[in-house]
């Protein structure tokens, strides 16, 4: 979720925040808050894009970045629960992840990632599903608006890939509820990295179908990684589906990654259990993540597997269309 937050907290500040970019919450029953100005997705500065599809045979990848900010305060000490897409520091944080993901998702594809007002880490520390979703509603609205703009302007004859990490994974689930059947027909695959799909999610849309192998299309790939099932964080990883992105199995057949890491799906919990990996480069954060899990490594540990699979599913989609 905050894959390098422990290393960057010291530089998070409110420098450059302009109070004219916020609207005050005038509800007297809640603490005064600021809401950052909404992004305009017709503005190219609200996107990071990369066109690496030189052969015209790849996919359009829509990627949603994870959580990067804590609750912060404006110059007049008013709290804000959201990232500010106009704040250079917040943009820099989001861009670090987006560019790192683009390095393996964009080759052979067209890659699009919007900046959005993601909710802060405190929303997930509420440990209450309804409260977290309520806090994230504004963020999910931004992502849906960004996707609608993207969808309206892309070549819809190309296969569609939707992917996101952590809060971005939440956004992927919400996008699958948001899209219409015509858009769903363009979907090669959706990747929910380091977040959950709940039974309630699957009841709310027919667009969420769990992947069963390496080549099926129109499916959702979901995984979370722990060192032992006792470390599952319900707010993130209490999921009803899972697949091993190394061998693309949904049973407990183990797979070897990078010669030294064993990755095994625990089918009863739908999470990956790893051995032979320390995860030491990502310290624990507020007893929420990286405590017996390797949440912060989800987009990176399996990057080669994901890059290959995006190409496979895009190719399979093209065969059917």
């Amino acid at each position: 979720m905050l894959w390098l937050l422990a290393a960057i907290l010291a530089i998070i500040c409110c420098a450059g925040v302009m109070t004219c970019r916020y609207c005050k919450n005038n509800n007297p029953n809640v603490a005064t808050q600021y809401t950052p100005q909404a992004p305009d997705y017709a503005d190219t500065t609200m996107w990071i894009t990369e066109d690496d599809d030189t052969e015209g045979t790849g996919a359009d990848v829509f990627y949603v970045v994870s959580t990067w900010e804590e609750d912060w305060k404006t110059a007049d000490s008013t709290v804000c629960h959201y990232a500010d897409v106009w704040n250079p520091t917040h943009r820099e944080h989001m861009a670090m992840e987006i560019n790192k993901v683009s390095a393996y998702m964009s080759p052979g594809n067209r890659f699009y990632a919007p900046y959005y007002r993601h909710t802060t880490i405190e929303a997930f520390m509420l440990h209450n599903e309804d409260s977290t979703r309520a806090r994230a509603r504004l963020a999910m609205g931004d992502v849906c608006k960004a996707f609608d703009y993207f969808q309206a302007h892309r070549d819809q004859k190309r296969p569609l890939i939707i992917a996101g990490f952590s809060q971005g994974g939440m956004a992927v689930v919400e996008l699958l509820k948001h899209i219409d059947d015509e858009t769903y027909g363009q979907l090669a695959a959706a990747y929910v990295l380091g977040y959950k799909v709940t039974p309630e999610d699957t009841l709310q849309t027919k667009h969420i179908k769990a992947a069963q192998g390496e080549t099926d299309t129109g499916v959702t790939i979901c995984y979370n990684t722990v060192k032992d099932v006792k470390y599952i964080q319900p707010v993130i990883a209490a999921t009803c589906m899972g697949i091993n992105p190394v061998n693309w199995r949904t049973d407990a057949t183990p797979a070897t990654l990078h010669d030294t890491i064993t990755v095994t799906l625990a089918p009863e919990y739908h999470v990956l259990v790893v051995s032979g990996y320390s995860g030491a480069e990502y310290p624990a954060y507020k007893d929420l993540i990286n405590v017996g899990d390797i949440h912060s490594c989800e987009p990176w540990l399996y990057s080669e597997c994901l890059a290959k699979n995006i190409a496979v599913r895009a190719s399979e989609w093209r065969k059917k269309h």
Side-chain angles (χ1 to χ4, degrees):
M1 185 176 296
L2 291 93
W3 62 276
L4 280 178
L5 184 56
I8 64 171
L9 286 179
I11 63 171
I12 294 177
C13 64
C14 297
V17 175
M18 298 175 61
T19 56
C20 64
R21 293 194 181 277
Y22 297 85
C23 58
K24 187 173 290 186
N25 184 336
N26 291 315
N27 185 341
N29 297 317
V30 299
T32 301
Q33 303 170 7
Y34 276 115
T35 302
Q37 178 185 332
D40 174 6
Y41 290 112
D43 182 348
T44 58
T45 66
M46 291 295 108
W47 296 87
I48 291 179
T49 63
E50 189 71 40
D51 186 353
D52 273 346
D53 187 2
T54 57
E55 302 296 325
T57 57
D60 287 350
V61 179
F62 183 89
Y63 180 78
V64 189
V65 70
S66 68
T67 310
W68 275 88
E69 305 305 325
E70 292 186 309
D71 279 356
W72 55 281
K73 294 182 179 180
T74 62
D76 63 355
S77 297
T78 305
V79 71
C80 185
H81 296 306
Y82 302 96
D84 178 5
V85 299
W86 308 94
N87 182 309
T89 302
H90 294 190
R91 289 172 62 88
E92 180 183 355
H93 294 164
M94 287 185 269
M96 282 192 284
E97 176 186 326
I98 292 170
N99 288 329
K100 192 172 179 180
V101 170
S102 175
Y104 72 86
M105 286 193 182
S106 67
N109 302 307
R110 297 173 183 168
F111 179 89
Y112 306 82
Y115 292 101
Y116 72 109
R117 294 174 293 178
H118 61 265
T119 189
T120 56
I121 185 62
E122 280 78 6
F124 298 91
M125 296 176 69
L126 297 171
H127 294 287
N128 178 285
E129 189 74 18
D130 291 339
S131 298
T132 298
R133 289 185 177 275
R135 183 77 64 83
R137 193 170 295 125
L138 179 143
M140 299 300 102
D142 279 1
V143 173
C144 288
K145 289 176 183 176
F147 181 85
D148 289 346
Y149 183 87
F150 155 82
Q151 179 69 358
H153 291 84
R154 80 178 192 93
D155 180 356
Q156 297 186 18
K157 296 179 181 179
R158 293 169 55 85
L160 170 65
I161 297 288
I162 305 174
F165 167 46
S166 200
Q167 185 172 167
M170 173 193 281
V172 173
V173 175
E174 294 308 310
L175 281 173
L176 291 171
K177 301 174 189 177
H178 172 74
I179 62 176
D180 58 22
D181 290 347
E182 182 178 356
T183 301
Y184 174 68
Q186 301 161 21
L187 183 71
Y191 294 80
V192 179
L193 313 181
Y195 199 70
K196 62 189 177 184
V197 177
T198 68
E200 292 75 17
D201 292 327
T202 63
L203 291 174
Q204 291 173 23
T205 179
K206 60 184 179 181
H207 300 153
I208 298 177
K209 297 179 181 180
Q212 298 300 311
E214 184 179 8
T215 62
D216 41 355
T217 60
V219 295
T220 298
I221 293 90
C222 178
Y223 66 77
N224 288 272
T225 312
V226 296
K227 295 180 180 180
D228 188 285
V229 294
K230 68 183 180 181
Y231 296 117
I232 293 172
Q233 285 284 359
V235 70
I236 298 170
T239 185
C240 68
M241 66 174 65
I243 192 167
N244 190 326
V246 183
N247 61 10
W248 299 104
R249 300 287 294 261
T250 57
D251 59 19
T253 302
T256 301
L257 180 66
H258 305 316
D259 297 326
T260 60
I261 304 169
T262 300
V263 183
T264 306
L265 183 74
E268 64 273 33
Y269 297 100
H270 310 289
V271 300
L272 305 174
V273 179
V274 297
S275 60
Y277 180 75
S278 68
E281 66 267 39
Y282 295 110
Y285 179 74
K286 293 189 176 181
D287 295 324
L288 178 65
I289 55 175
N290 304 323
V291 182
D293 61 59
I294 57 170
H295 178 78
S296 295
C297 297
E298 303 288 23
W300 329 121
L301 184 60
Y302 311 104
S303 59
E304 294 177 7
C305 304
L306 295 174
K308 179 181 178 182
N309 191 248
I310 287 172
V312 167
R313 294 188 197 272
S315 176
E316 290 297 316
W317 184 92
R318 286 182 180 275
K319 291 176 185 178
K320 299 173 183 177
H321 296 80

